[in-house]
Amino acid sequence: MPGSPARGAAVGTGHRGPRKSWTELLAGRVKKQKYDPEREQKLKDSALKLLRYHQNMHDLLLEVEEPQRQQPRLSELIACDPAEASSDPSASFIRSAFRDQASRLGVPVGVLSATVFARAVRQVCVEPSHPVLLSPEQSKKLSSSLATAQCLLAHSMFSRLTFCQELWKAQDSLLLEAVWCLHTHGVVSLQELLQSHPDTEAVTTWLFRNLRFLSEQIGAARPSSDTMAAMLSGLVQLLISRGFQGSSDPRRLVEPEKLPQVATDVLRRMLAFSLDTLDDPPTTSGHQTVSGWITVYSGHTCCGMVAEDSLKSFFSHTLTQILTYKPVLKVCDAIQMQKEWSFAKTRHLLTDLCCRVLVTLGPEESVGRLQEVLEMQEVNWKHVLSCVSTLVVCFPEAQQLVKDWVASMMSRAFESYHLDSMVTAFLIVRQATLEGPYVFPSYADWFKESFGSSHGYHSSSKKTLVFLFKFLSELVPWEAPRYMQVHIFHPPLVPSKYHSLLTDYVSLAKTRLADLKVSLENVGLYEDLSTPGDIAERESQAVQDVTKAIMVFEQTGKIPMPVLEASIFRRPYYLSHFLPALLAPRVLPEVPDSRVAFIETLKRADKIPSSLYDAYRKACATAEEKRPENATSAQRTGPDSAEEPLGLLTAALEELRALMTDPTQYSVISAQLAVVSERLNAVLGHSNHDGSLRKAKVQLDVRSSALQRQEQEVVDLLLTAFCQNLMAASSFVPPERQSPWAVLFVRTLCGHMLLPAMLTRLWQLLSHQGPSLSAPHILGVAALAVHLGECSSMLPEVDPGVLAPAGSLGVPDFLSSLLTCCTRDSLLFCMKFCTAAISYCLCKFPAQRPASLHGCLSPGLIKKFQFVVLRLFPEARAPRAPEHTACVPWGPLYLPSADWQNAALVLWRQSSFQELLKEKEFYLSYRDWVQLELEIQPDADVLSDTERRDFHQWAIYEHYFPAPSASGGCGGDLEAACTVLVSELMNFHQSSRSYNRSEDPDLVLGGRTGNEDILSRLQEMSVDLELDQGSVPGGGSTPQSHFLFRVFRRRLQALSRPDSTAASLRRQQELLLCKRLLLRLPPSILVGRPQARQPVPPNCEEFFNLVNSELRNFCCHGSVLTYDITIHFFRGLLSVCLRSEDPALVANQILTECQTKCPVILTSALLWWPSLEPVLCGQWKRCHQSTLPRELQLLQEAREFASKYLVARSTATKCLPWCLCVSFASDSGSPAPRPAWIAAAALHIAAVEVRRENLPGHLRRLDGEGEELLIALLFFSLMSLLSSYVTQQDTAEYLKAVDICAEVLLCLERRKVSWLTLFELTGTDARLGPLLYSAPEQHTRLLPLAFYSLLSYFSEGATVREAAFLHVAVDMYLRLVQLFVDGEARTVLPQASGSGRRQGHSELQGSPVQLITKARVFLLQLIPQCPKQCFSNMTELLAARGDCDPEVSNALRQRQQADPSFDLYREPHLF
């Protein structure tokens, strides 16, 4: 035979040396013989035939293993197609062997291969080292077998059904990972394997046992967790998709019902096992099993792999099973025990399970399912109420859903008298209220809202009342004392005829409370009756009440309403417990604190008995004497009491931070936050259920806010924890994928009356420490601000005092107001904070529309970000298409090397941010830009002077000026741009922002912050506007009013009339701003531009109106305008004259108009003429080379007339100026200029400057002047007298004014000239009417004071001779009394020294009462002396103001009706 030599050689060599391999033998053979392909094929066939008849098929499968050098070919074999697989020699050999064996045995090859392969898998699973997992050796063996099985399947040589049947014969030893490998490698699917088992109960038990083992290993966090998690997830997906497939699923028509039954049964058993072992200790295997299994209740587990309908059906079924599992508790048990089932007290596994199910279902579907289950089935009340707590805690929107659900149950209960609905509603409400007022309104609020009004559920009939009180009575034996106290303190509203129902219930409840040894007086003032906790001792509760009352007093400045109510309606508790706790003896601080202020306020309100207060003061004094030893002990023992609770809070926060490694675990984090809330209660000493400040306005005095040490420690700890949690969470997942832990954290902060302290601390951080904050702190505080905005609907408004003088602010707006841009450091910090806040918000809520972000982001914050970016980055000013990226880059911000400027630019270019700016409320308008730019301090600006000017030019002329007004621009209207600048300049300097930087009020414009630069822009724009308007001919139309006067008029109209000192000062401040703006702008604004058609004069009406209505009353020097505004007007006059065709004509027209419309300008010019004349004359002659216009010459002549009329005496000229040393010139014969009142004004100015002792002799020479001049001179003298009275000048000036008035009055009487017309002046008087507009309105109102100040100078003959004298005297008296009543007459008037008084001194010396008394005596003596005709017009006068003095009025009426012999026999005495 051809092969015999080879065989013999092989045998022979076996005894002489090492055996050669088959390859070596063939290699040697090849060298000796010539290659023959046909011979080679025959040799292979012979060898295969020999092996077929001597091969064990089972051993063959186990022996077929790839050599180490060919290990990668295993994956190739799995992935290759059948044609490629058939080319492998080993695979071909195995297939051939199975065919031959099947042929010899007479069985199908698929059945044979399946049987052999099942035996191989069973052998792999023998002696397992793990309940569900394969060892590494087992995995290696199974992998080889799986490759062979895949090859056989590819050639249709493998029966899956037979394989499943053979495999189940050893199900007890079958490992779950082996089954999983069969599924993942496509040998046989799980559903085929489970479906093939003949016994449904057995396969259910096997799968349940293996799932339990697998969950235990996952819960214990053993190795191979990834593999185990994948196995569990895949198995659960299969069970859900098959057990809860929809009716429309085609698989339900072709598959038997066995697999859905197995799937639902296994899932039900696993959930039941979990619910049974929820209370096991954490170290037990049951607890570990539940911890691992609960992870499957998540939408992420089945996302994309299970149909949405199947997923919803599974979770709905799960929720039903949770609610109905083992309903052993009765309603009475639930009423008694529900306080132990709050979110914080419930086992973590149960809340985690409920939270996962509710998150997948959503709040609406969850509430609907709860309602359906409670109506149709018996329930486990512990699970139901724990689920309600989880629902309201985890879903902010669930609050309203639960409210609506309870309302529907209450309506149904009272409509059909359904007791089950009533019980359910009360249990659900009480459970929800356990979570605090920031999650659900308190039980007391709900009970008052439901039954405390005539619109309550019970108010429809007597039957509903009986139903309610019967239900409440049935609750009494079971419910907590707190609820009975609510029902007693806030009873249902009951008609009087049914009041016995209420009294019966109250008696029953009080009896039950007495049995429980709970007194109604034990209820604290601020105790939330909704919380069924343990009743505190009276003393400890009183201490808590005192602490909270002082906190409320600090915020509001008023006695809290609960304290006032207790002082009236609960006096036993108030006197016996509250006041002793408040008045506990202590060492009083040197600076009174809030407690001292609260006690003093109560004392002033008569809320503290005098004996108790005196005892308190004595005890405090005693404590002061013993201070050294007590103080030392207090310092030694004080802090220790808070160390333990604060340490527990710190530990709870550290545990919370550890959970941030997976910030998607919402339920776990929520449970830990509940622990933090409980620890916070212990630190602060009060409950978070206290809602006393929930709706109140938070009062913050940011100028003197100082937190107590404990408050600051707690707030700093919480803020630090929030920042650390945010950084930790963001390092794992972006904000949009994090659970809403942040908003729960914020609710925790706000639920413990910490909001005022937290806002105060944020003010300290943002306003004073902002530039020094690190990047993590900035990111954390910015995110906190976003979530505070998200919860703003639940938060009270903030009144920060000087920061918002217009009123209170929402929390987002308040935080935005703390960001300033005045200096380089504050500007850069504002950029960082705004970048962080906006980026976080856009990342956290990427799906929300821009308009819906208003609650989270304050418009002010977004506007400040725009302002900062445009100011700092010139590249941001150029138009550029927005960048469309997937999301806002939040990630780089929390890195240590954060590039804030680049982040700000990236955010600016984001399409999402640019979309946000399309909302009108977020866009930085021109007005907003001016407001922010005004805050810049140039000396500390990040921009240089040149850069700042360039930025202003770009912003005004390139950006806002051409922008349409609808988008916040100017629409190309330069006047509108100037109007905004003026308005905001005035607003800025009237606000606290400008005054808190300087104590000098004279620097309101141009000397502080950015005013000088903005004012320079306004000056430039005003000149441009004037040039633009000057280029347009005016024609004959009425010129448009100047924008500046329109702004002034609008602002002054918005202010209230000065009927009080505060309003008067406010108006005066506004007018000072108006005047200073006028002085900084071109003077031609005051006069207007010349008209195109001469001789029409420029329009000065607006300036005249401003002077007559405002400036002459406030911005005046005595009774004339100040020098600056006077010379500014004349500069404007000269400016307009230079641009007119006939300068002299224009000047004359304007000054002539002043004589009738605004005479105070001319009197002011006369006063300041020594300073005005050189300026006016020099500029006029320099420009026109001619004499002054006629009207200017008139002023010059009037001053010359006065100076020549009163010539200086030789003894005085050596030491005094010409204007101060004057006497009458005997040779002065020049006539007075016309009009006479101008000459009189000049004469009065000169006379005022004469020494007082020279006045009598000089003024007697007035007899030769005209009557009109004398009367006008008397008027100006009276105004000078009143001016000295109003300004409280020294006595010498006041007495000089009296002397001038007296001499002029005597001159008039000597010439028998009537001067009474001065006290009856009206604006229609052609001759003397202008005099009214030459003095302030206040002076003209005080004319009655001037009239009676000259009482001693009145001539007795003149008083009787003139018929009008009595009418004027009575009118002046009644007005004088009215002035005193209105408070315009000062309490004390200037007093003259004894040596300086003349015999006829003024009656103004003394008090107003003395003056009124003397005037009254004068009138009562005068009335009988006056003839009958003097009383002709007295009726109208008495009808108008006769009630001011009834006796004077009665005397006048009797004199009108009496005969001539009537006289008054005695002097009345009223004062």
Side-chain angles (χ1 to χ4, degrees):
M1 292 180 65
S4 58
R7 180 185 301 180
V11 172
T13 57
H15 300 281
R16 295 191 298 267
R19 296 179 59 185
K20 294 185 178 179
S21 66
W22 182 259
T23 304
E24 291 174 339
L25 290 174
L26 289 178
R29 188 74 174 175
V30 170
K31 292 179 182 178
K32 296 177 182 180
Q33 295 184 359
K34 186 177 179 181
Y35 175 71
D36 186 357
E38 183 178 355
R39 191 170 183 277
E40 179 183 7
Q41 185 63 38
K42 289 181 180 180
L43 185 61
K44 287 181 179 180
D45 293 340
S46 299
L48 288 175
K49 186 176 181 180
L50 177 65
L51 291 173
R52 286 173 189 164
Y53 287 99
H54 299 85
Q55 181 65 48
N56 185 295
M57 300 305 298
H58 173 65
D59 295 338
L60 179 63
L61 284 176
L62 295 180
E63 289 175 1
V64 175
E65 294 184 18
E66 293 291 333
Q68 292 297 325
R69 59 183 176 85
Q70 296 183 357
Q71 193 67 24
R73 298 190 59 190
L74 179 60
S75 60
E76 296 174 4
L77 181 62
I78 295 174
C80 69
D81 57 20
E84 294 176 349
S86 62
S87 64
D88 183 77
S90 60
S92 176
F93 169 74
I94 293 174
R95 292 195 302 273
S96 177
F98 271 115
R99 289 193 191 98
D100 293 345
Q101 186 73 8
S103 176
R104 192 174 70 251
L105 296 177
V107 295
V109 65
V111 173
L112 177 62
S113 62
T115 303
V116 172
F117 188 62
R119 191 185 311 159
V121 172
R122 293 199 302 268
Q123 187 173 349
V124 168
C125 295
V126 171
E127 297 181 359
S129 60
H130 194 277
V132 291
L133 299 181
L134 298 169
S135 65
E137 294 182 0
Q138 290 174 321
S139 297
K140 186 177 181 181
K141 290 181 181 180
L142 184 61
S143 297
S144 301
S145 301
L146 289 174
T148 304
Q150 287 176 324
C151 180
L152 294 174
L153 277 170
H155 290 82
S156 301
M157 298 175 62
F158 189 84
S159 173
R160 285 190 173 92
L161 179 60
T162 302
F163 174 74
C164 293
Q165 292 172 349
E166 291 294 326
L167 199 61
W168 282 124
K169 291 179 181 178
Q171 71 177 28
D172 291 338
S173 61
L174 190 61
L175 293 178
L176 187 61
E177 187 179 2
V179 175
W180 176 250
C181 291
L182 294 174
H183 173 77
T184 56
H185 287 77
V187 176
V188 61
S189 66
L190 284 170
Q191 52 267 35
E192 288 180 295
L193 187 63
L194 296 176
Q195 185 70 36
S196 64
H197 200 289
D199 188 351
T200 302
E201 179 63 26
V203 72
T204 301
T205 303
W206 176 84
L207 187 56
F208 167 66
R209 183 182 70 251
N210 280 274
L211 281 178
R212 204 173 64 204
F213 288 148
L214 180 61
S215 299
E216 181 183 353
Q217 299 304 315
I218 294 176
R222 299 283 177 84
S224 302
S225 58
D226 292 341
T227 302
M228 291 187 293
M231 290 170 55
L232 183 62
S233 176
L235 287 168
V236 170
Q237 290 174 14
L238 169 68
L239 296 177
I240 294 175
S241 60
R242 293 298 177 264
F244 296 92
Q245 56 191 357
S247 59
S248 60
D249 195 328
R251 286 176 299 209
R252 291 189 66 89
L253 303 177
V254 298
E255 293 181 0
E257 296 297 325
K258 180 186 295 183
L259 185 56
Q261 180 181 351
V262 170
T264 55
D265 198 13
V266 169
L267 292 173
R268 180 187 58 79
R269 290 189 185 187
M270 287 301 299
L271 181 58
F273 176 80
S274 300
L275 295 175
D276 283 332
T277 55
L278 285 175
D279 296 331
D280 288 0
T283 56
T284 60
S285 61
H287 186 277
Q288 295 173 352
T289 302
V290 176
S291 299
W293 175 251
I294 281 180
T295 59
V296 307
Y297 296 101
S298 171
H300 300 291
T301 302
C302 309
C303 182
M305 304 300 295
V306 179
E308 184 176 355
D309 292 342
S310 299
L311 198 62
K312 290 286 186 181
S313 178
F314 164 66
F315 279 98
S316 179
H317 181 271
T318 300
L319 180 59
T320 302
Q321 185 177 349
I322 293 172
L323 300 178
T324 59
Y325 185 73
K326 293 184 178 179
V328 296
L329 295 175
K330 298 179 181 180
V331 171
C332 58
D333 300 325
I335 294 173
Q336 289 179 302
M337 301 170 62
Q338 71 175 134
K339 66 179 180 180
E340 303 298 331
W341 301 336
S342 65
F343 187 84
K345 295 181 179 181
T346 303
R347 288 285 184 176
H348 161 62
L349 290 177
L350 179 57
T351 57
D352 190 7
L353 174 62
C354 293
C355 185
R356 289 173 177 273
V357 174
L358 297 176
V359 165
T360 305
L361 290 177
E364 293 186 6
E365 188 170 346
S366 299
V367 171
R369 192 62 182 167
L370 275 167
Q371 183 176 357
E372 181 180 345
V373 170
L374 286 171
E375 290 176 355
M376 304 297 294
Q377 304 182 45
E378 291 290 327
V379 295
N380 184 319
W381 282 109
K382 176 181 179 180
H383 293 174
V384 169
L385 298 180
S386 298
C387 187
V388 169
S389 287
T390 305
L391 183 67
V392 296
V393 168
C394 296
F395 299 95
E397 62 271 26
Q399 179 185 133
Q400 189 59 46
L401 295 173
V402 172
K403 283 183 179 179
D404 297 340
W405 177 27
V406 170
S408 65
M409 284 192 292
M410 294 294 292
S411 299
R412 183 168 64 253
F414 280 92
E415 288 173 0
S416 59
Y417 306 102
H418 192 248
L419 192 60
D420 290 345
S421 298
M422 193 81 159
V423 171
T424 304
F426 269 72
L427 283 173
I428 290 173
V429 165
R430 291 181 178 183
Q431 189 67 28
T433 57
L434 291 175
E435 307 306 329
Y438 283 90
V439 174
F440 200 86
S442 67
Y443 178 75
D445 292 341
W446 175 82
F447 193 81
K448 287 187 291 185
E449 182 181 354
S450 300
F451 306 107
S453 67
S454 58
H455 303 289
Y457 300 106
H458 65 298
S459 59
S460 59
S461 64
K462 179 182 178 181
K463 191 174 181 181
T464 56
L465 279 172
V466 172
F467 175 69
L468 171 63
F469 284 108
K470 181 181 179 181
F471 170 74
L472 294 178
S473 300
E474 291 177 353
L475 290 180
V476 166
W478 316 106
E479 64 183 345
R482 289 287 191 229
Y483 296 120
M484 287 184 280
Q485 290 173 335
V486 169
H487 301 159
I488 294 173
F489 281 110
H490 309 288
L493 183 64
V494 177
S496 56
K497 58 182 177 180
Y498 303 129
H499 204 263
S500 59
L501 295 173
L502 175 61
T503 54
D504 291 344
Y505 168 76
V506 170
S507 299
L508 178 63
K510 287 183 176 180
T511 302
R512 174 60 178 168
L513 289 174
D515 294 340
L516 297 175
K517 299 181 180 179
V518 176
S519 172
L520 287 176
E521 290 299 327
N522 207 25
V523 179
L525 306 184
Y526 290 95
E527 194 171 0
D528 185 4
L529 299 177
S530 311
T531 56
D534 296 332
I535 304 296
E537 295 295 330
R538 293 187 182 183
E539 289 71 17
S540 62
Q541 184 60 53
V543 172
Q544 294 181 22
D545 287 343
V546 168
T547 302
K548 294 174 185 177
I550 293 175
M551 290 175 63
V552 176
F553 177 76
E554 288 177 348
Q555 304 303 322
T556 63
K558 301 177 181 178
I559 300 175
M561 188 56 65
V563 177
L564 291 176
E565 293 176 351
S567 66
I568 300 172
F569 302 110
R570 300 183 59 195
R571 288 192 65 81
Y573 175 79
Y574 179 77
L575 295 176
S576 302
H577 301 283
F578 180 80
L579 285 183
L582 176 64
L583 302 177
R586 63 176 183 138
V587 177
L588 297 179
E590 295 180 1
V591 178
D593 57 6
S594 301
R595 192 185 194 96
V596 173
F598 182 48
I599 292 172
E600 296 301 323
T601 303
L602 287 174
K603 182 66 174 64
R604 288 193 298 271
D606 293 332
K607 298 300 180 183
I608 300 179
S610 300
S611 57
L612 197 59
Y613 181 78
D614 294 340
Y616 162 72
R617 299 296 296 186
K618 291 179 181 178
C620 291
T622 303
E624 179 70 26
E625 296 174 358
K626 300 179 180 180
R627 181 170 186 169
E629 55 180 345
N630 290 346
T632 303
S633 62
Q635 293 176 358
R636 184 177 62 252
T637 60
D640 295 339
S641 59
E643 284 183 0
E644 184 178 356
L646 193 61
L648 294 175
L649 176 61
T650 304
L653 291 172
E654 290 176 354
E655 293 175 8
L656 178 64
R657 185 166 64 253
L659 296 175
M660 289 299 158
T661 55
D662 187 3
T664 59
Q665 294 184 358
Y666 181 67
S667 58
V668 180
I669 295 174
S670 300
Q672 185 60 31
L673 278 171
V675 175
V676 170
S677 180
E678 293 295 328
R679 302 283 173 84
L680 198 55
N681 286 341
V683 173
L684 299 177
H686 57 73
S687 171
N688 63 331
H689 301 288
D690 182 14
S692 57
L693 282 180
R694 185 154 54 107
K695 298 180 182 179
K697 184 183 296 184
V698 177
Q699 296 283 140
L700 293 181
D701 185 2
V702 297
R703 294 171 299 181
S704 60
S705 293
L707 295 177
Q708 297 179 0
R709 186 179 67 87
Q710 185 189 36
E711 278 186 333
Q712 182 160 342
E713 287 180 354
V714 172
V715 172
D716 285 349
L717 183 63
L718 294 172
L719 291 178
T720 302
F722 184 88
C723 296
Q724 293 173 343
N725 292 341
L726 179 71
M727 300 302 291
S730 299
S731 64
F732 288 95
V733 293
E736 68 271 18
R737 291 175 52 195
Q738 298 176 18
S739 65
W741 67 268
V743 70
L744 287 181
F745 197 102
V746 170
R747 286 187 182 181
T748 301
L749 292 178
C750 301
H752 294 267
M753 295 181 69
L754 276 176
L755 183 61
M758 183 181 63
L759 294 179
T760 301
R761 189 62 178 137
L762 288 177
W763 169 76
Q764 294 172 350
L765 291 174
L766 298 181
S767 296
H768 299 289
Q769 304 176 31
S772 62
L773 293 179
S774 62
H777 288 133
I778 294 175
L779 294 173
V781 175
L784 178 65
V786 170
H787 289 293
L788 283 171
E790 186 183 3
C791 302
S792 58
S793 60
M794 305 164 55
L795 302 178
E797 290 186 336
V798 182
D799 185 359
V802 295
L803 291 183
S808 56
L809 299 172
V811 172
D813 294 328
F814 167 71
L815 295 178
S816 174
S817 69
L818 301 179
L819 301 174
T820 60
C821 305
C822 54
T823 64
R824 180 185 186 278
D825 292 339
S826 62
L827 191 77
L828 294 178
F829 170 69
C830 182
M831 177 199 69
K832 295 177 183 179
F833 187 88
C834 294
T835 302
I838 298 172
S839 299
Y840 179 81
C841 185
L842 294 179
C843 287
K844 184 67 177 177
F845 311 106
Q848 292 192 14
R849 297 181 56 188
S852 61
L853 296 178
H854 180 274
C856 301
L857 291 175
S858 167
L861 184 139
I862 297 180
K863 291 177 180 179
K864 287 181 179 179
F865 177 72
Q866 298 173 65
F867 173 77
V868 171
V869 171
L870 293 175
R871 206 168 196 280
L872 292 179
F873 309 116
E875 58 268 32
R877 303 170 194 171
R880 180 173 177 175
E883 298 178 358
H884 297 274
T885 55
C887 62
V888 178
W890 162 259
L893 290 179
Y894 61 81
L895 298 178
S897 59
D899 186 351
W900 287 99
Q901 295 188 6
N902 182 64
L905 278 175
V906 171
L907 174 61
W908 175 264
R909 295 164 182 163
Q910 283 289 325
S911 58
S912 56
F913 178 74
Q914 293 298 324
E915 286 293 324
L916 192 66
L917 297 187
K918 293 180 181 179
E919 298 293 328
K920 185 177 180 180
E921 59 187 348
F922 292 136
Y923 186 73
L924 181 71
S925 66
Y926 175 58
R927 186 178 298 274
D928 300 325
W929 176 83
V930 173
Q931 292 172 355
L932 293 171
E933 190 65 31
L934 281 170
E935 296 185 2
I936 299 295
Q937 298 179 13
D939 54 344
D941 191 8
V942 68
L943 303 179
S944 64
D945 294 342
T946 304
E947 291 172 335
R948 185 165 56 252
R949 178 179 174 81
D950 293 341
F951 173 60
H952 288 175
Q953 293 289 336
W954 171 85
I956 295 175
Y957 290 103
E958 297 182 37
H959 187 58
Y960 288 112
F961 180 69
S965 56
S967 61
C970 303
D973 188 348
L974 188 58
E975 185 175 288
C978 293
T979 301
V980 172
L981 270 183
V982 171
S983 298
E984 293 308 320
L985 266 170
M986 300 184 72
N987 287 338
F988 176 75
H989 293 293
Q990 290 284 31
S991 69
S992 59
R993 296 176 296 165
S994 63
Y995 289 101
N996 58 8
R997 302 190 184 122
S998 175
E999 298 298 330
D1000 187 358
D1002 293 332
L1003 297 178
V1004 173
L1005 287 176
R1008 188 167 67 246
T1009 68
N1011 304 339
E1012 190 66 37
D1013 295 323
I1014 293 296
L1015 198 57
S1016 299
R1017 304 293 87 77
L1018 177 61
Q1019 291 169 339
E1020 297 167 0
M1021 296 164 67
S1022 299
V1023 173
D1024 293 341
L1025 180 63
E1026 190 170 342
L1027 294 175
D1028 292 344
Q1029 293 176 343
S1031 63
V1032 180
S1037 60
T1038 303
Q1040 186 180 5
S1041 62
H1042 198 275
F1043 77 90
L1044 193 63
F1045 294 106
R1046 290 201 300 271
V1047 173
F1048 292 166
R1049 184 167 56 251
R1050 182 176 63 251
R1051 293 177 65 88
L1052 291 171
Q1053 288 174 352
L1055 295 175
S1056 58
R1057 295 304 302 174
D1059 52 357
S1060 65
T1061 302
S1064 179
L1065 291 175
R1066 171 72 174 170
R1067 196 173 195 86
Q1068 187 172 359
Q1069 186 184 35
E1070 187 78 13
L1071 285 168
L1072 285 172
L1073 281 174
C1074 294
K1075 190 187 78 168
R1076 286 171 179 144
L1077 273 175
L1078 283 173
L1079 295 176
R1080 297 300 296 270
L1081 295 179
S1084 56
I1085 292 176
L1086 277 61
V1087 183
R1089 61 182 184 273
Q1091 301 301 302
R1093 290 173 50 190
Q1094 301 290 343
V1096 179
N1099 185 16
C1100 305
E1101 289 291 336
E1102 290 180 303
F1103 180 64
F1104 289 168
N1105 290 335
L1106 181 66
V1107 171
N1108 289 329
S1109 61
E1110 305 294 348
L1111 292 182
R1112 70 184 175 100
N1113 297 320
F1114 293 97
C1115 303
C1116 57
H1117 176 83
S1119 58
V1120 297
L1121 299 178
T1122 55
Y1123 174 74
D1124 51 6
I1125 195 67
T1126 304
I1127 194 172
H1128 202 63
F1129 171 79
F1130 281 96
R1131 285 198 187 106
L1133 174 66
L1134 295 178
S1135 175
V1136 170
C1137 291
L1138 288 175
R1139 291 181 291 165
S1140 62
E1141 298 177 0
D1142 190 345
L1145 176 62
V1146 171
N1148 290 331
Q1149 287 175 334
I1150 293 175
L1151 294 177
T1152 302
E1153 195 174 4
C1154 283
Q1155 294 180 13
T1156 57
K1157 295 184 177 180
C1158 196
V1160 71
I1161 292 180
L1162 300 181
T1163 57
S1164 303
L1166 289 170
L1167 176 64
W1168 308 114
W1169 188 255
S1171 300
L1172 277 176
E1173 184 180 19
V1175 177
L1176 297 179
C1177 294
Q1179 188 170 350
W1180 185 270
K1181 292 179 180 179
R1182 187 169 55 253
C1183 297
H1184 301 289
Q1185 300 295 326
S1186 62
T1187 59
L1188 290 175
R1190 184 186 69 253
E1191 296 300 324
L1192 283 177
Q1193 291 181 14
L1194 174 62
L1195 299 177
Q1196 191 178 44
E1197 292 170 358
R1199 286 293 303 205
E1200 291 176 355
F1201 164 76
S1203 62
K1204 292 178 181 179
Y1205 200 87
L1206 300 172
V1207 180
R1209 290 190 175 188
S1210 59
T1211 57
T1213 55
K1214 297 179 181 179
C1215 57
L1216 295 176
W1218 69 273
C1219 60
L1220 297 179
C1221 305
V1222 294
S1223 64
F1224 282 102
S1226 59
D1227 57 347
S1228 179
S1230 58
R1234 306 292 297 177
W1237 65 268
I1238 292 181
L1243 194 59
H1244 174 262
I1245 292 171
V1248 167
E1249 295 168 347
V1250 176
R1251 297 181 59 153
R1252 182 187 175 200
E1253 57 268 20
N1254 298 330
L1255 280 175
H1258 302 328
L1259 294 181
R1260 292 192 184 97
R1261 303 291 298 275
L1262 291 173
D1263 293 346
E1265 297 301 328
E1267 297 179 2
E1268 187 176 345
L1269 185 145
L1270 292 175
I1271 293 176
L1273 181 58
L1274 177 60
F1275 177 82
F1276 289 118
S1277 302
L1278 290 173
M1279 294 302 106
S1280 179
L1281 173 66
L1282 293 172
S1283 179
S1284 63
Y1285 163 72
V1286 170
T1287 58
Q1288 293 287 285
Q1289 294 178 357
D1290 56 32
T1291 305
E1293 293 296 328
Y1294 169 73
L1295 294 177
K1296 182 191 291 186
V1298 172
D1299 292 341
I1300 295 175
C1301 293
E1303 294 300 335
V1304 176
L1305 183 61
L1306 292 174
C1307 179
L1308 287 171
E1309 291 184 350
R1310 285 197 302 270
R1311 296 182 56 181
K1312 294 183 172 50
V1313 176
S1314 177
W1315 47 268
L1316 296 176
T1317 53
L1318 288 178
F1319 299 94
E1320 297 178 314
L1321 280 179
T1322 61
T1324 58
D1325 192 326
R1327 293 187 308 116
L1328 301 176
L1331 294 178
L1332 286 177
Y1333 296 101
S1334 64
E1337 291 180 356
Q1338 183 185 22
H1339 289 34
T1340 57
R1341 287 197 307 272
L1342 294 177
L1343 275 175
L1345 279 170
F1347 181 86
Y1348 282 103
S1349 69
L1350 304 175
L1351 190 61
S1352 59
Y1353 301 100
F1354 291 164
S1355 172
E1356 296 183 5
T1359 56
V1360 180
R1361 181 176 65 248
E1362 291 194 54
F1365 185 86
L1366 180 63
H1367 185 276
V1368 172
V1370 172
D1371 185 28
M1372 291 295 105
Y1373 172 74
L1374 296 178
R1375 291 186 183 184
L1376 179 63
V1377 175
Q1378 190 64 45
L1379 285 174
F1380 178 76
V1381 173
D1382 295 340
E1384 290 196 56
R1386 297 183 184 274
T1387 305
V1388 178
L1389 295 109
Q1391 297 288 330
S1393 63
S1395 59
R1397 296 193 184 195
R1398 298 167 54 210
Q1399 183 177 358
H1401 68 275
S1402 171
E1403 300 297 338
L1404 275 178
Q1405 298 166 4
S1407 68
V1409 175
Q1410 293 174 347
L1411 181 64
I1412 293 174
T1413 302
K1414 293 179 180 179
R1416 188 168 181 277
V1417 171
F1418 171 78
L1419 276 182
L1420 292 175
Q1421 293 175 351
L1422 178 64
I1423 290 173
Q1425 303 175 17
C1426 293
K1428 189 75 172 180
Q1429 58 270 22
C1430 295
F1431 300 90
S1432 58
N1433 298 325
M1434 204 61 66
T1435 304
E1436 297 179 1
L1437 188 62
L1438 294 177
R1441 288 189 296 271
D1443 55 348
C1444 291
D1445 192 333
E1447 290 204 29
V1448 171
S1449 301
N1450 186 46
L1452 289 170
R1453 291 190 179 95
Q1454 290 181 2
R1455 184 67 181 87
Q1456 281 181 301
Q1457 302 169 3
D1459 55 62
S1461 61
F1462 172 79
D1463 195 1
L1464 296 176
Y1465 60 89
R1466 64 185 179 87
E1467 176 187 335
H1469 179 72
L1470 284 181
F1471 297 95

